[in-house]
């Protein structure tokens, strides 16, 4: 799972959580909640499309005493698979080993780049962050 810091940078750079689905993870960046990753599930956390926008609703949760939170108020923690998909055709390879643990190789407008991190999902996130920054 990527860090809240990197996920926040992705959100700030323009990455939008357009279709929250079962299994997706997110964090509510509020004091006391930012260390807790929530998972969208039809059983406890689900997404409802209402006239004011999408709401993430908490069903039967007494621990947090929270009924719902607007999607715009949370930070999505995209999975490794989602990050790779968002890289699209710019993704070339994921390699294990070497400095940093994992390396993601991309090619954007004919320019190759490598992004290293301790985990594969963090390497994908760094590559996507660079792509979003280059295209914004």
């Amino acid at each position: 799972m990527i860090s809240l810091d990197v996920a926040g940078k992705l959100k700030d750079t323009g990455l939008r959580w357009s279709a929250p689905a079962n299994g997706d993870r997110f964090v509510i960046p509020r004091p006391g909640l930012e260390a807790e990753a929530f998972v969208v599930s039809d059983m406890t956390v689900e997404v409802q499309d209402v006239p004011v926008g999408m709401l993430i609703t908490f069903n039967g949760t007494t621990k947090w005493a929270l009924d719902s939170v607007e999607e715009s108020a949370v930070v999505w923690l995209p999975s490794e698979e989602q990050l790779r998909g968002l890289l699209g055709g710019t993704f070339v390879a994921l390699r294990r080993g070497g400095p940093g643990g994992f390396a993601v190789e991309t090619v954007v407008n004919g320019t190759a780049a490598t992004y290293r991190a301790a985990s594969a999902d963090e390497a994908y996130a760094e590559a996507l962050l660079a792509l979003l920054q280059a295209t914004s």
Side-chain angles (χ1 to χ4, degrees), residues 14 92 127 130 135:
V92 174
T135 57

Side-chain angles (χ1 to χ4, degrees), residues 3-53:
S3 70
L4 176 57
D5 180 55
V6 172
K9 289 177 184 175
L10 287 168
K11 182 176 182 175
D12 292 345
T13 308
L15 181 62
R16 294 293 166 248
W17 192 16
S18 60
N22 280 339
D24 284 358
R25 298 177 193 271
F26 64 94
V27 171
I28 301 170
R30 293 185 189 161
L33 293 175
E34 68 275 353
E36 187 75 31
F38 292 90
V39 179
V40 174
S41 168
D42 288 338
M43 293 186 64
T44 56
V45 180
E46 62 186 351
V47 178
Q48 295 181 357
D49 194 4
V50 296
V52 296

